[in-house]
Amino acid sequence: ALRVIRAVGGVVDVAPAPDGARVRVQDREDIARIVAALVGREIAVYGAVPRAATLEDVYFALREEGP
C-alpha cells in the first residue's frame, strides 16, 4: 500500500503507522487521488482523516527548506 501511495502525485511523505499510514500531501485534493489509487488496486480503505498542519509542522518544514 505504501508503494501505491508514494506513486500518487502530490505525496510529500508517507510512513507506516499503527492504524495504516501517515501521509503528507501538497494539497487536500491529493487525498482523494490516494484513496482512488488504493481502491483501484483493490486495497481496502476504511477511512482517510485530513489533519491541518500544526505550527510545529510548518516550522520544521521551513527549517528543512533552509534560507
Side-chain angles (χ1 to χ4, degrees):
L2 297 179
R3 189 171 43 239
V4 173
I5 294 169
R6 282 186 190 101
V8 176
V11 173
V12 175
D13 187 41
V14 61
D19 56 348
R22 299 273 184 241
V23 183
R24 219 168 29 122
V25 294
Q26 293 176 350
D27 186 88
R28 183 179 176 95
E29 295 302 314
D30 299 327
I31 299 168
R33 286 189 284 281
I34 292 167
V35 171
L38 291 166
V39 171
R41 302 274 261 177
E42 298 184 1
I43 298 170
V45 176
Y46 297 101
V49 181
R51 181 181 65 86
T54 65
L55 183 57
E56 183 177 318
D57 294 333
V58 173
Y59 172 78
F60 285 114
L62 290 173
R63 285 190 50 95
E64 287 176 10
E65 289 178 13

